[in-house]
């Protein structure tokens, strides 16, 4: 019984939160890694573009809620998502046209695009503030729980409760679907293969008749979709804070680098690795240990680091991986 | 690349003086004219200038890393914050009982922590393959638990000591000016640790490493209450200059103010700010002098050679990584010093105010706009961008007010007016993008 | 060129922000001009009286003429720095021609950019970086056929028949293959467009003699199958042995032209550059 309680506590406090957070990080890291592979730079505007895209989704959601439209148990934001993605994609394509294309055509060193992305980051940050203000917003609706603590206790007869929030299930389901679709696109379709070919060898891709600008456009659209989906899922799961997304830049970059920049499989693995480590290191294990070893009464909470230091975890993993495998877990290279 | 260095033409010779004159004119206008654009208050003008000078020192530190060596440091906020810890630990009066409660234990814990890191790195270098890695991990884990075992009770004891007023370790009561170089040392030590790891890998991972360490340092300051009271903030950090209230009580100063036909209140504010300005200028000019001398020395030539062609420099037997580490540490030291100066100027340590956008990326905007690699450019860019950063917050609403004047009152107008102060972010981004596009070498390009 | 090295190489070492993969070198924004009429009596391909260099740089080719007849192998040979690869790039449109014209199959294609020359029927195999290393062999071939909208499976089978070693590795990443197999993949990729002319830039550079012989066998087989081949070769002797026509270039000019046998017999060619 105690083992079961420990297992439930583990699922409830470590596994489920880490899995949904990991899925959000993985989607974010996929966007970063695609842009790095195709456009050859790390996009510092990623976090703030995520915030902006999510802000659009939130406003559309409010509009739908105002009209009385809803999805029953599912959050209304899901309905607003496609339009939010489309609008963000337009914005991002516009940014590319006005900002990045110039440097690409001139074959500038990619560092100048990194700098430009800092400029875009400022603009996106300002636009987000203009659009939705600086306060946290909660825009989730529908059923809050798939399984709630009380009914789980009644059903199982265990002391420990298990809560499974709708947003957590939704995050995982959507992430799996998105990743499946993305990989299908990259590995099965002509355009997806052309993207990988371009990231391998730009000149040969051009000589094969692949249009570079088209590849870049598709990349931005996919990246925008990933950003808005990741941002919306994160916002639904936690809450929407315009500045939280900037803070996510570090774990997202860490995930992408740990997995091997430019490698989509690596981005996903990196996202989950970072998320699970963060949660595991900052979770107070006292309760679970209490079930497993009832005789041992430790003084502390058995928390390795306090929650505020979760950044330190991404950082440590990053350093450790880079020391052992300088190119990341899954070799850099190739979208 | 050497081909980039332009022949100094008459135009470029006058460029720097003219731009600095324009900058001076802006501050003069801010102090003198009272209209929609300027406040007409010398107190405000000098306050902007003082913070601009601190930004200039920060930008100089970053410019050493970026301009001399091409290192991409996005953890400026962390090194700035770490430097800001120095005035707290150096200049504040000691807290009674704090050291007795756990000071020695804290030091022992830090020694344990650093010792186990050193041991781990020794094992790592000596060890081979899986065994070495496992041994290193073992040392780290044991070291961590040992550290926590020594550290935690000390923290609890210190934080329990007069927790309402203090609850922190307190300072040493030394002169606050001393804390400036010490702040630089704090930041330099952290830079050494980061650089050692991130610069030694097959290619650099400095950007992500500094991004991480920046967040971590700020998290430490927010969280470790025993150190600087965390989010409860530290106030009344001692000053190196007189207090306004003392000046106002001083009859000599009152008559001095009257002779300038200003009130003693206003004059005292200006006087204090001028004192700060002089201190900051001395530091700024000393750093520029040293930086320029260093750049013209064999060391500086080597730095440039390495940056221009790393492969060739490496082939000539230069230790590129060691040089990069060196300049990274020096640059962070300068940034740390600026952090200490900033806390001294504010008299307040508020860890929540350390926002990367403001303290990392805005500094980047300053350096790029001033001109990568040009020290005077960094100063110009820093003071100019700081001036704009402050003023756009004022100009934004004015402009929006003007634009929305014909609009009927309503939700849209209110929203626009409310959000006008956020225009500064868009403005800064636009300025950076325009400079990158049309003058990527900055206002004062490197010679 | 504004901005291309505005930061003077700063920051480009940091792999966490900058992808170390080099950018492409071909200007993808250059638009093609109109296609003109060929001239009566032209060979299948002719680059006639070509003079030009890269960008605004000095001329590398001077009044150089290269031609290939239907079903023939033509090789360009010459000492190092003679402009062999440059001549081929000129034919392929990667060079700015100041004078001369390139005509293929009765059409004047001088104004076309390289991408459009591929569509016009040229199959080009660069000397290096001529495969997509992380794509599988089969995907490499599919990308070769990117411009085709019809069924490519038949062409792919033909290519696999020609290069059985490649066929065995079709599911493997091309970057994992040996040097000789990579070259075979590179040639196969170019064949996937069903070109009317195959151009090879030093296909045997850096491969072992055995692999080189095998590659030459394949190339002869391709030419005997009716596809004309234009090839730049470092190994002049072997190349002339299989060539129907050979061009010896010296300092960007035609020095000697003739059939492979003629040039092999030419005393001056042998002395100056075949080593006796």
């Amino acid at each position: 019984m105690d083992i079961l309680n420990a297992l439930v506590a583990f699922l409830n406090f470590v596994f489920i939160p880490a899995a949904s957070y990991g899925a959000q990080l993985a989607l974010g890291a996929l966007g970063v890694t695609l842009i790095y592979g195709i456009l050859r730079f790390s996009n510092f505007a990623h976090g703030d573009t995520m915030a902006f895209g999510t802000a659009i989704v939130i406003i559309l959601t409010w509009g739908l809620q105002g009209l009385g439209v809803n999805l029953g148990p599912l959050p209304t934001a899901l309905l607003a998502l496609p339009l939010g993605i489309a609008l963000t994609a337009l914005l991002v394509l516009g940014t590319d046209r006005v900002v990045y294309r110039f440097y690409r055509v001139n074959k500038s060193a990619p560092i100048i695009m990194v700098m430009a992305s800092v400029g875009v980051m400022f603009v996106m940050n300002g636009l987000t503030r203009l659009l939705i203000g600086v306060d946290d917003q909660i825009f989730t609706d529908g059923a809050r729980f798939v399984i709630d603590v009380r009914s789980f206790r009644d059903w199982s007869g265990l002391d420990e409760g298990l809560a499974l929030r709708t947003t957590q299930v939704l995050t995982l389901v959507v992430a799996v679907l998105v990743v499946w679709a993305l990989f299908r696109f990259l590995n099965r379709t002509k355009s997806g293969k052309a993207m990988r070919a371009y990231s391998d060898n730009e000149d040969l891709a051009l000589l094969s008749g692949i249009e570079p600008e088209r590849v870049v456009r598709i990349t931005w659209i996919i990246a925008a979709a990933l950003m808005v989906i990741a941002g919306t899922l994160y916002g639904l799961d936690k809450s929407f804070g315009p500045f939280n997304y900037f803070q996510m830049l570090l774990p997202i970059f860490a995930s992408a680098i740990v997995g091997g920049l430019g490698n989509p499989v690596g981005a996903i693995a990196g996202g989950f690795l970072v998320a699970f480590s963060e949660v595991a290191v900052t979770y107070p294990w006292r309760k679970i240990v209490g079930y497993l070893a009832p005789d041992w009464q430790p003084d502390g909470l058995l928390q390795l680091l306090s929650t505020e230091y979760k950044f330190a975890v991404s950082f440590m993993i990053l350093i450790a991986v880079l020391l052992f495998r300088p190119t990341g877990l899954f070799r850099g290279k190739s979208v | 690349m050497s081909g980039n260095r332009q022949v100094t033409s008459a135009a470029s010779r006058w460029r720097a003086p003219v731009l600095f004159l324009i900058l001076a004119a802006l501050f003069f206008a801010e102090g003198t004219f009272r209209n929609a654009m300027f406040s007409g208050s010398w107190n405000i003008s000098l306050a902007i200038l003082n913070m601009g000078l601190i930004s200039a020192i920060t930008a100089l530190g970053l410019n050493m890393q970026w301009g001399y060596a091409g290192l991409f440091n996005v953890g400026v906020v962390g090194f700035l914050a770490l430097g800001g810890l120095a005035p707290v630990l150096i200049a504040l009066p000691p807290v009674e009982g704090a050291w007795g409660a756990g000071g020695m234990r804290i030091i022992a814990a830090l020694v344990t922590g650093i010792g186990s890191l050193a041991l781990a790195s020794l094992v790592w270098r000596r060890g081979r393959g899986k065994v070495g890695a496992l041994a290193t991990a073992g040392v780290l884990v044991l070291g961590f638990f040992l550290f926590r075992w020594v550290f935690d009770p000390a923290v609890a004891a210190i934080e329990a000591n007069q927790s309402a007023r203090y609850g922190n370790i307190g300072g040493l009561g030394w002169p606050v000016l001393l804390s400036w170089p010490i702040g630089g040392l704090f930041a330099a030590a952290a830079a050494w640790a980061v650089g050692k790891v991130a610069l030694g890998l097959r290619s650099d991972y400095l950007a992500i490493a500094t991004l991480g360490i920046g967040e971590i340092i700020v998290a430490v300051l927010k969280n470790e209450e025993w150190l600087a009271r965390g989010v409860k903030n530290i106030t009344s950090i001692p000053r190196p200059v007189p207090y306004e209230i003392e000046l106002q009580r001083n009859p000599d100063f009152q008559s001095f103010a009257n002779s300038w036909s200003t009130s003693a209140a206003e004059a005292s504010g200006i006087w204090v700010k001028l004192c700060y300005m002089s201190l900051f200028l001395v530091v700024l000019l000393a750093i520029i002098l040293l930086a320029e001398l260093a750049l013209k020395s064999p060391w500086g030539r080597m730095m440039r050679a390495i940056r221009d062609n790393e492969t060739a420099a490496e082939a000539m037997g230069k230790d590129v990584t060691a040089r990069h580490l060196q300049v990274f540490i020096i640059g962070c030291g300068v940034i740390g010093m600026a952090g200490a100066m900033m806390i001294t100027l504010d008299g307040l340590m508020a860890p929540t105010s350390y926002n990367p956008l403001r303290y990392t990326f805005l500094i980047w905007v300053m350096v790029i706009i001033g001109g990568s690699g040009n020290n005077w450019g960094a100063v110009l860019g820093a003071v100019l961008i700081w001036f704009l950063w402050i003023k756009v917050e004022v100009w934004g609403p004015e402009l929006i007010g003007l634009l929305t004047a014909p609009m009927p009152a309503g939700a849209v107008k209110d929203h626009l007016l409310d959000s006008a102060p956020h225009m500064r972010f868009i403005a800064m981004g636009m300025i950076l993008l325009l400079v990158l596009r049309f003058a990527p070498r900055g206002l004062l390009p490197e010679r | 060129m504004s901005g291309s090295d505005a930061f003077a190489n700063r920051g480009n070492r940091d792999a966490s922000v900058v992808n170390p993969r080099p950018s492409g070198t071909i200007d993808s924004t250059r638009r093609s001009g109109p296609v003109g009429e060929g001239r009566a009596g032209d060979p299948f391909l002719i680059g006639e009286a070509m003079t030009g260099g890269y960008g605004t740089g000095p001329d590398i080719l001077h009044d150089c003429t290269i031609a290939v007849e239907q079903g023939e192998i033509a090789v360009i040979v010459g000492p190092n720095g003679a402009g062999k690869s440059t001549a081929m790039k000129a034919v392929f449109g990667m060079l700015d021609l100041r004078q001369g014209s390139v005509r293929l199959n009765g059409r004047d294609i001088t104004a076309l950019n390289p991408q459009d020359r591929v569509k016009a029927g040229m199959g080009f195999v660069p000397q290096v970086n001529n495969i997509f290393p992380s794509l599988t062999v089969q995907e490499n071939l599919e990308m070769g056929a990117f411009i085709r909208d019809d069924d490519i499976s038949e062409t792919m089978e033909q290519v696999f028949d020609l290069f059985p070693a490649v066929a065995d590795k079709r599911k493997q990443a091309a970057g994992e293959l040996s040097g000789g197999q990579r070259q075979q993949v590179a040639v196969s990729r170019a064949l996937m467009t069903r070109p009317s002319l195959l151009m090879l830039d030093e296909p045997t550079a850096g491969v072992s003699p055995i692999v080189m012989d095998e590659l030459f066998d394949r190339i002869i087989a391709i030419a005997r199958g009716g596809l004309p081949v234009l090839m730049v070769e470092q190994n002049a002797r072997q190349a002339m042995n299989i060539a129907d026509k050979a061009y010896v270039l010296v300092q960007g000019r035609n020095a000697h032209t003739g059939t492979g046998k003629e040039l092999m017999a030419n005393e001056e060619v042998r002395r100056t550059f075949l080593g006796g």
Side-chain angles (χ1 to χ4, degrees):
Chain A
M1 227 33 172
D2 278 350
I3 289 183
L4 276 183
N5 272 321
L7 185 68
V8 168
F10 174 77
L11 283 176
N12 193 27
F13 294 109
V14 179
F15 188 84
I16 295 172
S20 63
Y21 179 46
Q24 291 147 12
L25 283 187
L27 292 180
L30 270 175
V32 165
T33 226
L34 280 179
I35 292 173
Y36 185 88
I38 301 287
L39 290 126
R40 303 197 301 140
F41 72 97
S42 288
N43 183 13
F44 274 86
H46 207 82
D48 283 299
T49 314
M50 257 165 110
F52 186 76
T54 312
I56 293 180
V57 170
I58 292 175
I59 287 178
L60 292 172
T61 307
W62 288 341
L64 288 173
Q65 286 167 345
L67 292 173
V69 180
N70 66 60
L71 275 180
L74 292 174
T76 316
L78 277 186
L79 269 182
L81 205 50
L83 190 56
I85 291 174
L87 290 174
T88 312
L90 279 180
L91 178 79
V92 163
L93 286 175
T95 315
D96 181 75
R97 183 70 192 77
V98 190
V99 179
Y100 301 115
R101 199 183 105 99
F102 172 79
Y103 305 108
R104 189 164 61 244
V105 167
N106 280 334
K107 306 211 180 293
S108 304
I111 185 72
I112 198 164
M113 294 204 239
V114 178
M115 291 297 172
S117 80
V118 171
V120 174
M121 175 179 90
F122 270 97
V123 174
M124 287 289 175
N125 190 293
L127 287 178
T128 311
R129 288 158 181 262
L130 282 185
L131 189 65
I132 203 162
V134 294
D135 302 321
D136 280 16
Q137 311 284 353
I138 292 176
F139 61 107
T140 180
D141 52 7
R144 213 163 128 59
F145 290 102
V146 176
I147 302 171
D148 68 75
V149 173
R150 183 193 298 255
S151 49
F152 180 82
R153 277 214 198 103
D154 294 346
W155 171 80
S156 66
L158 291 171
D159 296 340
E160 233 5 88
L162 180 78
L164 188 59
R165 290 206 306 272
T166 319
T167 52
Q168 290 168 328
V169 178
L170 193 68
T171 298
L172 286 169
V173 171
V174 172
V176 167
L177 284 177
V178 166
V179 168
W180 174 80
L182 179 65
F183 277 78
R184 221 183 141 74
F185 171 77
L186 286 177
N187 293 321
R188 297 286 177 81
T189 67
K190 206 169 165 183
S191 297
K193 286 177 194 171
M195 251 172 85
R196 289 165 52 218
Y198 179 84
S199 107
D200 257 12
N201 189 336
E202 280 178 37
D203 275 346
L204 198 62
L206 181 71
L207 294 183
S208 303
I210 295 168
E211 234 184 285
E213 288 304 306
R214 185 163 176 270
V215 168
V216 169
R217 272 200 303 278
I218 295 176
T219 308
W220 278 119
I221 292 171
I222 295 176
L226 288 168
M227 286 191 259
V228 179
I229 294 172
T232 305
L233 290 176
Y234 184 84
L236 283 172
D237 195 20
K238 312 267 164 40
S239 79
F240 172 83
F243 308 121
N244 291 350
Y245 292 89
F246 178 82
Q247 304 265 306
M248 274 179 82
L249 212 52
L250 177 65
I252 285 179
F253 274 16
S255 307
I257 293 175
V258 161
L261 266 167
N263 185 315
V265 182
I268 296 167
F272 283 103
L273 180 64
V274 167
F276 271 90
S277 320
E278 264 190 24
V279 176
V281 170
T282 55
Y283 174 69
W285 290 89
R286 187 192 169 102
K287 185 183 232 172
I288 294 179
V289 169
Y291 283 120
L292 294 177
D295 303 332
W296 184 43
Q297 291 293 330
D299 299 333
L301 292 166
L302 297 181
Q303 185 184 20
L304 289 175
L305 282 177
S306 80
T307 341
E308 284 81 358
Y309 289 132
K310 58 181 188 202
F311 301 117
V313 182
S314 335
F315 183 73
M316 290 304 164
I317 293 176
L318 187 77
I319 297 296
V321 168
L322 290 181
L323 281 175
F324 287 100
R325 291 185 71 108
T327 48
L329 292 176
F330 294 78
R331 286 287 155 76
K333 213 150 166 49
S334 95
V335 156
Chain B
M1 268 161 246
S2 56
N4 278 338
R5 275 171 216 137
Q6 296 166 336
V7 186
T8 316
S9 64
S12 67
R13 199 171 335 126
W14 287 103
R15 202 182 167 103
V18 167
L19 285 171
F20 271 102
L21 265 179
I22 293 174
L23 190 61
L26 280 176
F27 279 92
F28 180 79
E30 176 70 21
T32 320
F33 306 121
R34 176 184 289 274
N35 55 26
M37 286 186 73
F38 300 111
S39 64
S41 151
W42 277 103
N43 259 315
I44 292 182
S45 178
L46 287 174
I48 300 176
L49 180 62
N50 279 341
M51 200 54 215
L53 290 175
I54 287 176
S55 303
I57 295 172
T58 318
L60 276 175
L62 185 62
N63 188 43
M64 288 175 193
Q65 301 170 341
W66 170 247
Y68 294 10
L71 301 176
F72 195 69
N73 173 3
V74 274
V76 178
V77 62
F79 298 105
L80 208 64
L82 197 57
L85 192 57
V88 176
L89 294 184
I90 297 297
L92 275 188
V95 171
E96 212 174 313
W99 274 94
M104 282 306 134
R105 215 179 155 116
I106 290 261
I107 289 179
L110 293 180
V111 169
T112 314
I114 293 168
S116 46
L117 283 178
L119 187 64
S121 104
L122 196 73
V123 173
W124 169 246
R125 248 174 286 154
R126 291 283 170 81
R128 255 165 235 295
K130 286 223 163 72
V131 184
L134 278 177
T136 312
V139 170
L140 281 175
V141 170
L142 277 179
F144 178 75
F145 284 110
L146 194 64
F147 166 78
R148 287 291 297 265
W149 181 71
V150 182
F151 184 71
D152 287 357
V155 167
I158 292 174
E159 287 178 1
N161 176 42
Q162 306 181 54
S163 61
R165 274 199 69 191
Y166 299 109
N168 66 328
I169 186 80
L172 297 171
W174 293 351
V176 69
L177 283 182
L178 202 62
S179 74
W180 295 3
I182 291 178
L185 286 180
F186 283 2
W192 175 80
V194 181
K196 200 76 188 145
V197 178
L199 287 170
L201 303 163
R202 201 163 70 192
S203 46
D204 289 354
Y205 284 88
L206 192 67
I208 183 72
T210 48
L211 190 69
I213 205 75
E215 300 270 11
I216 290 173
I217 291 174
V218 174
V220 167
L221 287 183
K222 279 184 193 162
N223 213 30
E224 299 298 320
E225 294 191 355
W226 62 273
L227 199 57
R229 302 195 75 213
V231 290
K232 292 178 197 160
N233 301 349
I234 292 262
T235 50
S236 62
I237 290 163
R239 277 186 178 186
V241 298
Y243 284 87
E244 286 87 346
I245 205 86
E246 289 167 14
L247 286 174
Q248 286 163 24
R249 285 201 201 112
N250 183 339
D252 289 344
F253 186 82
Q254 282 171 357
S255 58
F256 171 75
N258 290 336
S259 72
W260 283 79
S261 63
T262 52
S263 71
E266 200 186 340
S268 65
I270 294 174
W271 180 260
V272 167
K273 291 186 176 79
L274 284 174
C275 289
Y276 270 123
M277 187 186 81
S278 321
L279 281 173
F280 294 162
L281 273 177
V282 167
V283 175
L284 178 73
L285 292 175
I287 290 176
I288 291 194
L289 183 71
L290 289 174
E292 289 287 314
L293 283 178
L295 202 58
K296 291 198 173 69
S297 70
W299 180 86
R301 281 200 295 277
M302 180 174 63
M303 287 312 305
R304 284 180 171 218
I306 289 177
R307 198 201 69 210
D308 288 348
N309 192 338
E310 214 165 84
T311 328
E314 217 149 30
M316 286 191 304
K318 310 282 185 216
D319 188 344
V320 173
T321 306
R323 294 307 120 209
H324 279 176
L325 182 61
Q326 212 171 34
V327 81
F328 181 64
I329 291 173
I330 296 173
C332 283
V334 172
I335 295 173
M337 200 149 138
M341 293 163 72
M342 189 174 82
I343 293 302
T344 313
L345 174 68
D346 290 347
L348 163 82
M349 170 77 171
T352 42
S353 68
Y354 286 109
N355 165 3
L357 211 59
R358 153 74 185 86
Y359 289 106
T360 296
F361 292 103
L362 195 66
I363 305 291
W364 266 105
V365 176
M366 293 168 177
V367 170
I368 299 294
I369 283 173
S372 314
N374 186 325
N375 288 320
W376 290 106
V379 175
L380 178 79
V383 180
L384 177 68
I385 289 296
W386 181 251
F387 183 82
L388 292 177
W389 177 255
I390 296 296
K391 291 309 287 182
V392 167
E393 201 180 18
V394 183
W395 294 341
E398 302 265 0
L399 184 70
I400 297 277
L402 211 64
L403 291 177
T404 55
M407 279 171 71
V412 177
K413 184 172 178 174
D414 289 348
H415 180 76
L416 282 175
L417 284 174
D418 283 350
S419 46
H422 304 313
M423 295 295 282
R424 53 151 66 156
F425 294 92
I426 299 176
M428 287 304 132
M430 289 295 186
I431 291 176
L432 179 60
L433 289 174
L434 288 173
V435 166
L436 281 177
R437 176 73 170 260
F438 297 107
R441 283 147 54 73
L443 292 177
L444 293 181
E446 184 184 24
R447 269 154 309 180
Chain C
M1 283 298 280
S2 91
S4 70
D5 60 351
F7 290 153
N9 202 27
R10 288 184 182 95
N12 285 323
R13 190 184 139 104
D14 198 325
S16 61
V17 286
V18 164
N19 189 336
R21 165 173 69 86
S23 81
T25 52
I26 306 174
D27 178 10
S28 61
T29 55
R30 209 187 98 205
R31 301 245 173 268
S32 291
V35 176
E37 286 284 308
R39 290 180 205 165
D42 264 353
F44 184 71
L45 166 84
I46 180 162
E48 193 174 37
M50 299 182 293
T51 301
Y54 295 101
T56 51
D59 286 352
I60 302 170
L61 292 182
H62 308 276
D63 198 23
C64 174
T65 297
I66 307 282
V68 193
E69 292 288 358
Q70 198 63 271
E72 277 189 358
I73 298 179
V75 300
I76 306 174
V77 291
N80 277 332
K84 303 186 294 287
S85 288
T86 311
M88 176 166 275
K89 283 178 180 159
V91 172
F92 192 54
M94 290 164 77
L95 201 69
D96 298 299
L97 282 191
R98 269 171 275 285
Q99 277 163 40
S101 64
V102 180
R103 302 189 296 277
L104 174 73
N105 203 5
R107 294 191 298 165
D108 187 330
I109 58 168
T110 317
L112 292 187
N113 64 22
Q115 306 91 291
D116 287 335
R117 287 183 203 217
V118 173
K119 288 175 190 155
M122 285 182 166
F124 178 66
V125 182
Q127 183 182 345
V128 288
N129 297 329
N130 49 19
I131 54 164
F132 300 112
S134 78
L135 269 57
T136 65
V137 169
Q138 185 165 342
E139 285 170 339
N140 264 275
L141 300 196
E142 288 170 19
M143 286 302 108
F146 188 83
I147 52 175
R148 286 176 54 183
D149 288 324
D150 53 339
D151 184 18
I152 61 167
S153 54
E154 195 184 326
T155 320
M156 201 176 280
E157 286 314 312
Q158 286 167 359
V159 168
F160 283 146
D161 286 345
L162 193 62
F163 294 110
V166 169
D168 292 342
K169 313 242 161 162
R170 63 173 83 184
K171 297 283 179 209
Q172 214 169 323
E176 295 168 1
L177 303 185
S178 70
Q181 288 169 341
R182 281 170 181 233
Q183 288 303 58
Q184 295 187 1
V185 173
V187 176
S188 310
R189 188 204 63 83
L191 290 174
M192 286 303 294
T193 49
R194 282 185 303 188
S196 55
L197 169 80
L198 183 63
M199 306 205 298
L200 307 164
D201 191 356
E202 300 206 17
T204 62
V207 301
S208 70
I210 301 169
V211 175
M212 182 168 81
D213 286 345
E214 197 192 329
L215 259 176
F216 276 150
D217 282 349
R218 299 293 95 200
I219 292 166
I220 294 170
I222 291 169
R224 295 296 165 261
L227 180 61
V229 176
L230 175 63
M231 174 165 75
V232 170
E233 252 308 323
Q234 194 73 259
N235 303 298
R237 194 179 289 274
Q238 287 90 331
M240 284 194 201
N241 269 331
I242 65 164
D244 297 299
K245 196 148 199 189
Y247 295 86
V248 179
L249 298 194
V250 176
Q251 292 184 339
R253 290 185 165 81
N254 288 96
H256 306 276
T257 306
T259 65
K261 288 203 181 66
E262 277 167 17
L263 290 187
M264 292 284 271
N266 182 322
E267 187 61 29
E268 199 192 337
V269 171
R270 291 175 60 156
R271 200 184 58 245
T272 54
F273 123 119
L274 290 178

